[in-house]
Amino acid sequence: MKIGIITSGGDCPGMNAFILELSKLCGKNNYDLIGYIGGYKGIEENNFIKLNFDNISGMALGKKGGSLLLTGRYEDLKIGEKLIKFKQRIDEIGIDWLVVLGGDGSLKAAKKLSDLGLKLVGVPATIDNNIIGTEYTMGFDTAINKTLQVINDIEDTATAMPGKVYIIETLGGDCGNIAKAALDEGAADIALIPENPISDDELVKLIKDKFNEGNKYLIMTICEGLNKTMYYSEFLKKALNKKVHISIIGHQQRGGSPTAYDRYVARRFATQTFNLIKKDISGKMVCYISGKFKNCDL
Ligand code: F6P
């Protein structure tokens, strides 16, 4: 049995741990594991390497962020002819199954490839945690923890020099899950996210209320997709007559060693993926729902 694997779209912590675990399971069962380089582009260019646990286990992969296979955003994934070409390329070299790790766009293309008759399993892997069908996507926990760490550090100086407002911009594209998690986990006082728009007047009132209720400083996360970080920094300075500082965390949130939880999820997703292949169940995405690792339709 020959299994191909790609990491596609934005990388996320846990991708390497997944590859390592899958290589272990393939090795034990005498399956070949072929890693395409750079996501879907690797398929198009027939650019791949043979992966096996013996070769890669020494690379301390489990604890490394990013992806040893490299990833990429492929612009033309919606074009049917491209997908037919991908399938031809895969068939040419005798790959029986394709495993696709990635976010929304990557998995939508995977679904189309599966509809073309390619045996395939999708794996939700994005720091954004925004894939329909799963409550958790690999990498989210690491990204939240990075955000909380930044806020913890800021709080030290905020406590020492009270009275200021801190705006912390998080990744997530148009999806506010990371910014909101900082609020849910008690690190931020306010989270501004595209899913829950708020007027300038409402925001000013909210911040004033927090200070009146006893806040010594105010921490506000803002999702990058709102594209209003600089605007709020200037606007709030004037509206509140307070110092406003901004921190744009950026891609630090996407890199770095996966948390223990993301390593665990990576291993569980890999086992789930392998079991689907072994049972010859194609067109599924591994997922996490109500405390259980399962699979759902792509
Ligand atoms: O992969 C998801 C993500 O990290 C988003 O949170 C972010 O908006 C985007 O990718 C950034 O993508 P790129 O690194 O391609 O600019």
Side-chain angles (χ1 to χ4, degrees), residues 32-102:
D32 286 338
L33 186 60
I34 306 294
Y36 284 103
I37 305 298
Y40 283 102
K41 202 162 185 48
I43 299 178
E44 182 172 46
E45 294 172 350
N46 256 340
N47 184 8
F48 56 82
I49 50 169
K50 198 164 176 215
L51 299 165
N52 68 61
F53 185 69
D54 293 339
N55 286 350
I56 61 177
S57 59
M59 294 165 70
L61 272 185
K63 66 175 182 185
K64 281 203 166 53
S67 166
L68 95 147
L69 293 175
L70 316 186
T71 88
R73 298 196 189 279
Y74 195 102
E75 294 304 324
D76 303 336
L77 278 179
K78 288 188 186 130
I79 301 174
E81 288 155 39
K82 283 275 171 194
L83 295 164
I84 292 169
K85 199 165 169 195
F86 291 162
K87 180 164 182 315
Q88 280 165 354
R89 289 265 189 271
I90 289 166
D91 289 343
E92 269 159 27
I93 59 164
I95 299 254
D96 302 295
W97 282 82
L98 184 68
V99 177
V100 177
L101 276 70

Side-chain angles (χ1 to χ4, degrees), residues 20 22 25 41 55 75 86 93 101 108 116 125 149 154 183 218-219 231 233 244 262 272 279 284-285 287 290:
L20 185 66
L22 190 63
L25 295 166
K41 202 162 185 48
N55 286 350
E75 294 304 324
F86 291 162
I93 59 164
L101 276 70
K108 278 192 178 127
L116 288 173
Q149 185 59 55
I154 288 174
L183 174 72
L218 188 120
I219 305 266
Y231 166 75
S233 138
V244 178
D262 274 328
Q272 196 73 15
K279 288 183 193 154
K284 299 285 178 187
M285 177 181 82
C287 60
S290 304

